[in-house]
Amino acid sequence: VRRECKTATLYDVARIAGVSTATVSRIVHGQDRVRPATRERVQKVIDELGYVPDSAAQSLSRRRKEIIGLVSVERFTPQYDVENMSLLFYDEILRGVEPRLRDEGWSLLLTYLPGEDPHGFARLQSLSGKVDGLLIGEGVVPSSLLSRIAQRVPVVVIAGNPGESGVDVVTADNRSGAAALVEHLVCAHGHTRFFHVDGPASAPDAQERRVALELVLARHPRCRLIGSVRGEFSVRSGVEAGEHLLTTYGRRALPDAIVCANDPMAIGVMQSLARAGVRVPEDLAVVGFDDIYPGSLSHPSLTTVHQPMRMIGERACTRLLDRIARPELDPEVVVIPTELVLRESCGCSPSMGTRAVPPRLAVQQRSGTLQGAVTIARSDGQATKEGRKRSQSGGRTRKAVATDTVTPLPA
Amino acid sequence: VRRECKTATLYDVARIAGVSTATVSRIVHGQDRVRPATRERVQKVIDELGYVPDSAAQSLSRRRKEIIGLVSVERFTPQYDVENMSLLFYDEILRGVEPRLRDEGWSLLLTYLPGEDPHGFARLQSLSGKVDGLLIGEGVVPSSLLSRIAQRVPVVVIAGNPGESGVDVVTADNRSGAAALVEHLVCAHGHTRFFHVDGPASAPDAQERRVALELVLARHPRCRLIGSVRGEFSVRSGVEAGEHLLTTYGRRALPDAIVCANDPMAIGVMQSLARAGVRVPEDLAVVGFDDIYPGSLSHPSLTTVHQPMRMIGERACTRLLDRIARPELDPEVVVIPTELVLRESCGCSPSMGTRAVPPRLAVQQRSGTLQGAVTIARSDGQATKEGRKRSQSGGRTRKAVATDTVTPLPA
DNA sequence: CTGTTAGCGCCTTCAA
DNA sequence: TTGAAGGCGCTAACAG
């Protein structure tokens, strides 16, 4: 059986059913104002012909494609390398975006862009001709270019710098999350000598986390940062950081706690410590950020901060759809609360695993040049459990809602 | 600054540059037959206006959208559940598909479909109006409907049943992989009492793996299958399988080896064994299938079979593009070789980790109703190392190339 | 209730 | 080397 290449068009249906194309169109879209008898007859022809409307023609006519693009940085190495893990972030974002979009009957165009791609801008330009709006991951293109893209088509930046101009931004509350984590190491475990494994200089989220670390340490006079190295967010760079640490401080002068800018690096650090016979958490604590699944499997299991990535994806998507519907909206920064996940690597016993409840949602309005109007919206009807109150984490005028409520997890 | 909503069209450019739309079109597409002076002048206008061609109009005019759709089953639970892991499969497929597509300048439309969605067919139909071809994951819709979709638009099924009719299929060589794995347990470790944690009845790959297990055991008279349970491919169902096992056999009558239909279930099994104080691999061996990253982190690390998922995605994509270009091609089944990954959980020491080299590529042609024509193609210029020859694994007429060559991994 | 008729923005012969 | 013009398949007024 040779495949038929000819696809039925609206005209074919109309002709065969003996009606006009307008009528067929009405029926396809389930409008009323059609006599039931006609509807039935036409529907039959549609089914027989297997007619499906051509989306290109629809888009052209309606001036709307009902497609949005999701662009994220391609950080994956040629083959099954552990580096992949940095991508898990976008995989989860995706799981938040896609269902939201599907609900609306829209489609998702997915693209990875090599970091620092010289043609990045051109690619985004051409992409902008294929969609009604763009969800762009942090680090895909420099922000100067971002705003140029945003002139052509609505843009929401994911995990982006909250200072981005002319575009909406949805991001996790890195600062409060990191603050809560360090605060825990200080208050619950009494650590004082910290070491930091930082992320790439270009990553705004790593930057936020570092600032939080420094702020908390500054609040506790006995605590200090004895050193830090910069990693690449990968397991491998974590391993290297661990080796560097061992070389630098030797076995006797190790820090009390190693704070890593993300989970893969924390896993890498633990690997090199294990190899050297250093025990975690007995000899020192290690913590990460992100809460990726492998962190819960590692030995010891990893204490970290959970970013609700699906929610970030979903909110970003919602925001983009809103903006497409009403392009005149003012750009907004949405900060999604993070949650502390206490496991073994900080010294907490496995049984006492706790997790913070996402308390509220911080929404920062930004209209024109005026900055600083702050709106706080509750996320759900979720009851805010009582817990230790942490002080607001920031030194800036912006008040981000902190990861400030901790409740026990169910066993 | 209020966003401009008006986007420049080809006409705008033509009018302002004082040429015809045909000329602009030629320039946009880099054709020659344009006087350099004209080109330059027009290009300047294009840049100034930030003109980007509208893809809908292009598609309509060219009768080609240059978009393909990727559809996979949505198995993810509401939130960050470990079940997610079943999705890792498609995440990796994606990383094979997207770059391949990007190379060609095409785009990817991504959709998840809830398993057993009653509207599944309708969704696929409507999707078929938005793309030039479809990559469909196994289990998205019953195969009867698949072939109806395939009449409208080229379809390649991923990880599908090799018996699917009217569509191309790209899948891993589950049978040879599982056979090699079991053979290893028997020959290298001398195990004789096996227990099987099967996958869902509807999963063709689980079926292939079970058949292979049974065949190998049948070849070794001393070996037998003492029992099996069916799981859902999730960590949780692995945990349950482990508990069931402990209840059924007690501590004294445990099997020698537990063969799981995929890695997440193997991880689950190991979790419940660990909780009960059963040591792996000292007391019994546990093996999985898939080679997902967390398996390399678990304790003990998991012996398994690697499916080259990116390659599967890439090949599937290539095949789809070929078919779109030449719809008259005969449907084909491409079987991608798998690789044995020996780690700790089978009893191999970590240092002796080995991994099979992908030997060849099996391509089965299937033209019209005639089945069974078999073509074997070499994958690359890769030299085939000598190794234990295994007998052909199937009882069927199809000759699948086995995972039959084992070489040490670099440390 | 149903049909007529302009476009939507671009591509592509065919002429000039 | 350039321009003119007819679609591509569908939608949405506007008439009837």
Side-chain angles (χ1 to χ4, degrees):
Chain A
V1 182
R2 207 48 59 208
R3 180 182 325 288
E4 303 215 9
C5 288
K6 204 78 201 102
T7 315
T9 75
L10 200 62
Y11 277 103
D12 300 329
V13 178
R15 184 165 31 77
I16 296 178
V19 296
S20 75
T21 59
T23 302
V24 180
S25 179
R26 288 185 190 109
I27 290 169
V28 167
H29 295 97
Q31 298 176 11
D32 36 13
R33 303 299 189 93
V34 176
R35 196 196 309 156
T38 314
R39 175 185 301 277
E40 195 171 341
R41 178 161 44 97
V42 174
Q43 186 61 54
K44 204 156 116 191
V45 176
I46 290 179
D47 292 342
E48 277 167 6
L49 263 52
Y51 167 72
V52 175
D54 181 273
S55 75
Q58 286 182 314
S59 305
L60 186 56
S61 181
R62 293 208 275 240
R63 286 83 171 298
R64 171 153 295 182
K65 304 184 178 61
E66 306 205 332
I67 299 180
I68 75 155
L70 173 59
V71 189
S72 48
V73 207
E74 172 182 75
R75 275 205 201 113
F76 45 93
T77 45
Q79 280 289 64
Y80 322 88
D81 191 292
V82 285
E83 307 279 329
N84 292 349
M85 295 175 57
S86 59
L87 260 183
L88 294 178
F89 182 81
Y90 288 111
D91 291 333
E92 276 297 311
I93 294 281
L94 190 55
R95 303 205 209 315
V97 170
E98 199 277 341
R100 180 72 185 76
L101 221 45
R102 188 162 15 111
D103 281 352
E104 308 283 330
W106 286 45
S107 303
L108 179 68
L109 212 53
L110 183 71
T111 312
Y112 298 108
L113 234 47
E116 317 189 351
D117 181 352
H119 308 296
F121 181 69
R123 284 188 185 283
L124 279 187
Q125 279 247 112
S126 115
L127 189 58
S128 74
K130 305 181 179 173
V131 300
D132 296 321
L134 243 23
L135 244 32
I136 304 186
E138 202 292 310
V140 170
V141 289
S143 62
S144 56
L145 298 180
L146 258 190
S147 48
R148 281 180 57 196
I149 298 286
Q151 275 168 248
R152 274 191 47 78
V153 62
V155 168
V156 174
V157 177
I158 292 178
N161 192 317
E164 216 64 72
S165 76
V167 299
D168 291 278
V169 174
V170 177
T171 184
D173 192 347
N174 289 291
R175 199 176 285 213
S176 302
L181 182 61
V182 177
E183 196 83 35
H184 172 80
L185 292 172
V186 173
C187 299
H189 299 287
H191 295 315
T192 57
R193 306 180 70 235
F194 289 80
F195 187 86
H196 183 44
V197 181
D198 205 348
S202 57
D205 39 2
Q207 202 169 320
E208 295 278 311
R209 293 166 199 174
R210 177 166 38 72
V211 169
L213 167 64
E214 287 165 355
L215 284 171
V216 173
L217 293 187
R219 275 211 298 275
H220 295 275
R222 301 179 45 204
C223 298
R224 64 197 188 85
L225 193 62
I226 64 168
S228 79
V229 291
R230 201 178 278 296
E232 303 294 334
F233 273 168
S234 67
V235 175
R236 185 183 311 135
S237 64
V239 170
E240 287 162 8
E243 287 161 357
H244 166 86
L245 185 80
L246 290 164
T247 312
T248 308
Y249 300 96
R251 300 295 278 281
R252 288 182 308 279
L254 288 173
D256 294 341
I258 304 176
V259 177
C260 304
N262 79 346
D263 282 355
M265 292 198 296
I267 289 175
V269 166
M270 292 204 298
Q271 283 177 4
S272 43
L273 292 181
R275 213 165 290 147
V278 175
R279 294 165 308 161
V280 177
E282 292 82 357
D283 298 336
L284 55 66
V286 175
V287 298
F289 205 109
D290 281 352
D291 190 26
I292 62 177
Y293 180 71
S296 69
L297 285 182
S298 66
H299 287 257
S301 57
L302 187 64
T303 287
T304 185
V305 175
H306 179 80
Q307 301 197 58
M309 300 186 271
R310 285 198 197 176
M311 184 185 287
I312 292 176
E314 192 193 314
R315 298 273 309 188
C317 188
T318 300
R319 181 65 194 167
L320 183 57
L321 290 172
D322 281 355
R323 170 171 292 287
I324 289 169
R326 301 174 47 205
E328 76 281 5
L329 290 178
D330 287 321
E332 208 178 72
V333 175
V334 179
V335 179
I336 309 281
T338 51
E339 310 170 23
L340 196 54
V341 180
L342 302 178
R343 288 195 284 241
E344 300 166 358
S345 70
C346 65
C348 287
S349 83
S351 60
M352 67 170 285
T354 66
R355 188 161 169 175
V357 167
R360 307 160 225 161
L361 221 52
V363 176
Q364 177 184 0
Q365 296 265 5
R366 194 172 58 208
S367 43
T369 59
L370 173 66
Q371 298 223 357
V374 176
T375 313
I376 307 286
R378 296 207 149 263
S379 68
D380 309 310
Q382 209 147 22
T384 302
K385 300 272 177 52
E386 66 160 4
R388 296 177 275 174
K389 278 283 184 233
R390 294 180 197 295
S391 57
Q392 296 300 350
S393 63
R396 298 219 195 140
T397 54
R398 174 159 58 91
K399 293 187 173 190
V401 173
T403 308
D404 59 1
T405 318
V406 181
T407 55
L409 269 187
Chain B
V1 183
R2 205 50 57 206
R3 180 183 325 287
E4 302 216 8
C5 286
K6 204 76 203 104
T7 314
T9 75
L10 201 61
Y11 276 101
D12 300 330
V13 177
R15 184 167 31 77
I16 296 178
V19 295
S20 76
T21 58
T23 302
V24 180
S25 180
R26 287 184 191 110
I27 290 170
V28 167
H29 295 98
Q31 297 176 12
D32 36 14
R33 302 299 190 94
V34 175
R35 196 197 308 155
T38 313
R39 175 185 303 278
E40 194 171 343
R41 177 161 45 97
V42 174
Q43 187 61 53
K44 203 155 119 193
V45 177
I46 290 179
D47 291 341
E48 275 168 6
L49 263 51
Y51 166 72
V52 175
D54 180 274
S55 76
Q58 285 183 315
S59 305
L60 186 57
S61 180
R62 293 208 275 239
R63 286 85 166 298
R64 172 150 296 183
K65 305 184 176 59
E66 306 205 332
I67 299 181
I68 76 155
L70 174 58
V71 189
S72 49
V73 208
E74 171 183 74
R75 276 205 200 110
F76 47 92
T77 45
Q79 279 287 66
Y80 323 90
D81 191 292
V82 284
E83 307 278 329
N84 291 350
M85 295 176 57
S86 60
L87 259 184
L88 294 178
F89 183 81
Y90 288 111
D91 291 333
E92 276 296 312
I93 294 282
L94 190 56
R95 305 205 208 316
V97 170
E98 198 277 341
R100 180 73 185 73
L101 222 45
R102 186 160 19 110
D103 282 351
E104 307 283 329
W106 286 45
S107 303
L108 180 67
L109 211 52
L110 184 70
T111 313
Y112 298 109
L113 233 46
E116 317 189 351
D117 182 350
H119 307 297
F121 181 68
R123 285 186 184 284
L124 279 187
Q125 279 247 109
S126 113
L127 189 58
S128 75
K130 304 180 180 173
V131 300
D132 295 321
L134 242 24
L135 246 29
I136 304 187
E138 203 291 310
V140 170
V141 288
S143 62
S144 57
L145 298 180
L146 259 190
S147 47
R148 281 180 57 197
I149 298 286
Q151 275 168 248
R152 275 192 47 79
V153 62
V155 169
V156 173
V157 178
I158 292 177
N161 191 317
E164 217 64 72
S165 75
V167 300
D168 292 278
V169 174
V170 177
T171 183
D173 192 347
N174 289 290
R175 200 176 284 214
S176 303
L181 182 59
V182 177
E183 196 83 36
H184 172 79
L185 292 173
V186 173
C187 299
H189 299 287
H191 295 315
T192 57
R193 306 180 70 235
F194 289 80
F195 186 87
H196 183 43
V197 181
D198 205 348
S202 57
D205 39 1
Q207 200 169 321
E208 295 277 311
R209 293 166 200 174
R210 177 166 37 71
V211 169
L213 168 64
E214 288 164 357
L215 283 172
V216 173
L217 293 187
R219 274 211 297 275
H220 295 276
R222 300 179 45 204
C223 298
R224 64 197 188 85
L225 193 63
I226 65 169
S228 79
V229 291
R230 201 178 277 298
E232 304 292 336
F233 273 168
S234 65
V235 174
R236 185 184 308 136
S237 65
V239 170
E240 287 163 8
E243 286 161 358
H244 166 87
L245 185 82
L246 289 164
T247 311
T248 308
Y249 299 96
R251 300 295 278 281
R252 286 182 308 278
L254 287 173
D256 295 342
I258 304 176
V259 177
C260 304
N262 78 348
D263 283 354
M265 294 199 295
I267 290 174
V269 165
M270 293 203 299
Q271 283 177 2
S272 43
L273 292 180
R275 214 167 288 149
V278 176
R279 295 164 308 161
V280 177
E282 292 82 357
D283 298 335
L284 56 65
V286 175
V287 297
F289 204 108
D290 281 352
D291 190 27
I292 62 179
Y293 180 70
S296 68
L297 284 183
S298 66
H299 288 256
S301 56
L302 187 63
T303 288
T304 186
V305 175
H306 179 80
Q307 300 199 59
M309 299 186 272
R310 285 198 197 176
M311 184 185 289
I312 292 176
E314 191 193 314
R315 298 273 308 187
C317 188
T318 300
R319 181 65 193 167
L320 183 57
L321 290 171
D322 282 355
R323 171 171 291 288
I324 289 169
R326 302 175 45 207
E328 75 281 4
L329 291 178
D330 288 319
E332 209 179 70
V333 175
V334 179
V335 179
I336 309 279
T338 52
E339 310 170 24
L340 197 54
V341 180
L342 302 177
R343 288 195 283 242
E344 299 166 358
S345 71
C346 65
C348 287
S349 83
S351 59
M352 67 172 284
T354 67
R355 188 160 170 176
V357 166
R360 307 160 225 158
L361 221 52
V363 177
Q364 176 185 1
Q365 295 265 3
R366 194 172 58 210
S367 43
T369 59
L370 174 67
Q371 299 226 354
V374 174
T375 315
I376 306 288
R378 295 206 149 265
S379 67
D380 309 311
Q382 208 145 24
T384 301
K385 300 273 178 53
E386 67 160 4
R388 296 177 277 174
K389 276 284 183 233
R390 296 180 198 294
S391 56
Q392 297 300 349
S393 63
R396 299 218 197 140
T397 55
R398 174 159 57 91
K399 294 184 173 191
V401 174
T403 308
D404 59 1
T405 318
V406 180
T407 54
L409 270 185

